[in-house]
Amino acid sequence: MDPMDIVGKSKEDASLPKATMTKIIKEMLPPDVRVARDAQDLLIECCVEFINLISSESNEVCSREDKRTIAPEHVLKALEVLGFGEYIEEVYAAYEQHKLETMDTLKGGGKWNGTEMSEEEAAAEQQRMFAEARARMNGGGVAAPKQQTENDRSLES
């Protein structure tokens, strides 16, 4: 029996948000390059398959350690076992960054600097995070500077 069937979902049910994936694909390419819809669909399917592969191996690593919860260490070990060891440092750095950003959000109760972000500020923050991710993906490793928001300016006063 396929493990995906155990939880009531077939492999075909697993997918990623198409609009988000299309945006990521387009952002990684030069502006003058177009991607055929079939190629976008294939890339999305590859991403889903990669996630399934890493998840499955992470589960195996977790099981060998007699654990019931997959931890980040299990995912990193799975990357190594599957021959993706060269990505472990970048993945770990992204994980650490995610933890810091999540901690900031949790401390503020889902708010930034004690106040809610406006839609424009949230969009600017999202673009900054996309730029950071792009820099990491392109090997630059240099984070884009954080844009000062209206809330940041009011706190400085």
Side-chain angles (χ1 to χ4, degrees):
M1 177 182 275
D2 185 8
M4 292 295 285
D5 291 334
I6 293 172
V7 293
K9 296 203 180 230
S10 69
K11 198 171 185 179
E12 290 78 31
D13 289 339
S15 187
L16 294 169
K18 195 168 189 168
T20 302
M21 294 303 296
T22 299
K23 183 174 181 172
I24 291 169
I25 292 166
K26 287 181 180 179
E27 286 181 352
M28 297 308 301
L29 299 172
D32 60 331
V33 175
R34 294 176 45 128
V35 181
R37 186 155 319 277
D38 288 351
Q40 287 179 14
D41 292 344
L42 180 59
L43 284 168
I44 293 169
E45 287 302 315
C46 288
C47 291
V48 169
E49 194 58 39
F50 181 74
I51 291 169
N52 287 334
L53 179 69
I54 297 296
S55 298
S56 177
E57 186 61 36
S58 298
N59 185 49
E60 292 294 322
V61 170
C62 181
S63 294
R64 283 193 293 270
E65 294 180 7
D66 291 325
K67 304 283 183 181
R68 293 179 44 140
T69 303
I70 296 173
E73 306 81 56
H74 300 133
V75 176
L76 296 173
K77 181 65 176 174
L79 286 169
E80 183 181 323
V81 168
L82 293 169
F84 296 103
E86 64 197 61
Y87 297 102
I88 291 174
E89 191 174 317
E90 280 184 70
V91 169
Y92 187 75
Y95 168 64
E96 288 295 316
Q97 181 67 30
H98 169 74
K99 281 194 327 190
L100 289 173
E101 290 171 3
T102 303
M103 258 193 322
D104 289 346
T105 302
L106 291 176
K107 283 181 187 173
K111 299 176 182 177
W112 295 79
N113 298 327
T115 60
E116 288 191 32
M117 295 174 71
S118 70
E119 190 173 328
E120 293 81 19
E121 292 167 333
E125 182 67 16
Q126 181 182 37
Q127 290 306 314
R128 183 191 65 77
M129 291 190 299
F130 281 148
E132 285 179 358
R134 252 192 316 279
R136 284 193 303 268
M137 290 289 294
N138 292 329
V142 179
K146 182 177 179 182
Q147 295 180 356
Q148 192 175 34
T149 65
E150 190 77 26
N151 290 337
D152 294 334
R153 284 186 220 105
S154 67
L155 289 174
E156 290 176 354
S157 304

